[in-house]
Structure formats: structure tokens, C-alpha cells
Amino acid sequence: MAQREPCPDRFFDDLGGAFSMGALGGAIFYFLKGFYSAPSRERFRGGLMAVKTRAPILGGSFAMWGGLFSTFDCFLLWYRQEDSPVNAVASGFITGGLLAVRSGFQIAWRNAVAGGVILAIIEGVNVGYTNMMIRQQMLMVQEMSKLQEERIQRQMKGLPDLTPEEINERMEPKPEKKPGFFSGMFKKA
């Protein structure tokens, strides 16, 4: 998992990042919306007016979400004494529900599930990507150790060391033949 700020600082980091994301995304969205909605001679000014009035509000909404999420994430980290993707998913669930609690139980429950599902998708992609990168790194380390072993064997036999071109040639990934999706069904006997 990627290293994050320790918990008291994490709150401010997430709060500022969420506000920036919301304000920037809101500025782009509301500029285009105001540009499109304004009269033909006032399009640019209409876009700017929409940005000035609406983008900070969207940034504040994002900041509220990020701040609550970070608060619950830190609480779960303290309570469970474990930094895992479960904390993020549970924090997204709680945050989504808490922000919609004034709308009633049914809507709050729906938003809680949506927050949890979105965070589960994000954490699942993060875990998958991390595993893929670790696997690639392990393969690279194995290739490097094989190459180093071969170089030591050559030196022990009195042969010259490999040239940089030979080393690069051996380190290049070799294309693998992967079986297709239906290849198991149509094997030749």
C-alpha cells in the first residue's frame, strides 16, 4: 500500500486535496455550462460568472467529503490498529451515509452503499496495481540475479565479462506466447 501522511496530518492533506479537486473540476464544468448558457456576446463573461459563483461551493462539498472520510479513516486506523483497504471502504460507507442523513434513512443508506462501493472499487484497483508492480519487480530481480550469476561464472572461468550491449539484450523482455481464451477447447490431439 502507498505510504500516506500520519493521521493528524492526513486530515488536512485530504481536506485540501479534495477542495482543490472539487474547485478545479467545478471551474471547468461551470465555465463550460456558463459559456453555453450565456447570450452570444456575453459567453466568456457568463462562463466566468458561473465559475465565481458555483466552483467554490463544489470545492467546499468535496472538502466536506474528504474531511469526513479522513476523520473516519483515522478513527478506524486507531480502533482497528491496522491500516488496510477495509478502513477506506468502511470510511467511504460511513461518510456517504452521514452526509445524506438529513434526507432520511432510505437515501442515507443508498448513499452509504454508493460511497462504500466506490471506495471498494478504488481500493481493489489499488491492490491489484500494487500486486502487479510487485510481481514485475520480483521478475526483474530474478533476471538480474541470474545475469549476475552468469557473469560471476564467466569470470571464474577466465572469460571476458559481458558487454553492455549483451547485458541489455538479455534484460529485454521476451515476448511470451499466451494461450487465447478458447485455446483449451480446440486443442489438437
Side-chain angles (χ1 to χ4, degrees):
M1 242 172 104
Q3 278 298 93
R4 295 185 65 199
E5 293 287 325
C7 254
D9 298 334
R10 187 183 295 190
F11 172 77
F12 296 107
D13 188 39
D14 286 352
L15 191 73
F19 178 80
S20 300
M21 242 187 332
L24 183 64
I28 293 168
F29 175 78
Y30 285 115
F31 179 80
L32 293 174
K33 185 175 179 182
F35 187 85
Y36 179 75
S37 300
S40 61
R41 291 183 179 257
E42 299 289 323
R43 291 201 187 275
F44 190 74
R45 185 177 294 159
L48 288 179
M49 289 302 292
V51 167
K52 282 172 41 177
T53 57
R54 299 299 302 167
I57 295 170
L58 188 63
S61 297
F62 270 66
M64 180 66 71
W65 208 97
L68 280 175
F69 171 80
S70 185
T71 301
F72 291 127
D73 196 27
C74 286
F75 172 74
L76 289 172
L77 178 64
W78 169 79
Y79 183 74
R80 296 181 67 226
Q81 296 294 312
E82 179 182 0
D83 193 11
S84 70
V86 173
N87 291 352
V89 174
S91 298
F93 179 85
I94 296 168
T95 300
L98 186 65
L99 287 175
V101 78
R102 294 189 321 165
S103 299
F105 177 76
Q106 200 170 24
I107 293 173
W109 177 256
R110 195 176 328 148
N111 284 354
V113 169
V117 166
I118 288 170
L119 265 295
I121 291 169
I122 291 171
E123 290 298 318
V125 168
N126 188 20
V127 167
Y129 179 75
T130 303
N131 288 342
M132 181 184 71
M133 294 308 288
I134 289 172
R135 208 171 313 128
Q136 285 181 347
Q137 202 169 23
M138 292 300 292
L139 289 174
M140 174 91 60
V141 168
Q142 287 175 353
E143 290 292 323
M144 289 292 286
S145 64
K146 285 180 189 175
L147 183 64
Q148 188 65 23
E149 217 173 278
E150 183 181 340
R151 290 175 73 189
I152 291 171
Q153 292 295 328
R154 287 176 64 98
Q155 288 173 355
M156 288 175 61
K157 292 179 183 176
L159 299 171
D161 196 11
L162 297 172
T163 64
E165 291 83 22
E166 290 174 326
I167 292 173
N168 287 338
E169 181 182 306
R170 292 175 189 215
M171 289 305 295
E172 285 180 7
K174 297 165 185 77
E176 296 179 16
K177 241 186 157 181
K178 294 184 178 179
F181 183 72
F182 294 110
S183 64
M185 294 177 164
F186 305 107
K187 283 187 178 177
K188 294 181 181 178

